[in-house]
Amino acid sequence: MAFFMLIAGFLFSSVGAYMAGLVGSSNNPISGVTLATVITSAGLLLLLGTSESVGPSAAILIGAVVCCAAGVAGDTMQDLKTGRILGSTPFKLQIMQAVGIVVPCFVIGPILRLLITAYGIGDDDPKGSKALEAPQASLMAQVVKSIFTGDLNLPLVAIGGCLSLLVMIADFLLSLFEVGFRTPVLGLALGLYL
């Protein structure tokens, strides 16, 4: 599990940084990257024989780690680009990057604890209608549960995979024949997801 976290964190951090550099940090595909990680890790955990009681939590944990890595990568890319444009030195940028990572570690936990205690978060929260909505988290939890219970609609997943493959083949052919435009699958996937 830790090995997959390391590999997925590296790969999806690259994707997050690339997309942030391409379209800006406001369009960083963190939730899409996290969903892809959660689906892949749930599938791998299922193949490795992880039980239904432990597997969904482990897949969500892997997704959370990769989500943080991709978010930091995209933010760092934007910060470095902006710092370069404004003429900042790399040393000052690195100091502020460290501050930007360390300070939220101490602030986010207590705020989340306060929100959970006061309102609750998500559909399954015992506080009911008073709970704060968490649509992306609920989506990921439902997808992971459906993978482990066998309720996932595999034909739709296969159709999406085939469409992605067709777009990649079209992009390759466009680059081979040096046509004036391309069809990058990552940009298309991000557009469809958003």
Side-chain angles (χ1 to χ4, degrees), residues 100-111:
I101 294 295
V102 172
V103 170
C105 291
F106 295 105
V107 174
I108 291 174
I111 290 174

Side-chain angles (χ1 to χ4, degrees), residues 158-172 183 185 188:
I159 289 170
C162 289
L163 284 174
S164 298
L165 187 62
L166 288 174
V167 170
M168 287 190 291
I169 291 170
D171 186 50
F172 174 74
T183 59
V185 71
L188 178 70

Side-chain angles (χ1 to χ4, degrees), residues 15-31:
V15 169
Y18 174 74
M19 288 307 292
L22 189 65
V23 294
S25 64
S26 62
N27 293 323
N28 196 349
I30 294 175
S31 56

Side-chain angles (χ1 to χ4, degrees), residues 80 88-103:
L80 293 174
S88 179
T89 62
F91 177 73
K92 290 179 181 176
L93 285 170
Q94 289 171 350
I95 288 175
M96 294 318 296
Q97 286 295 327
V99 169
I101 294 295
V102 172
V103 170

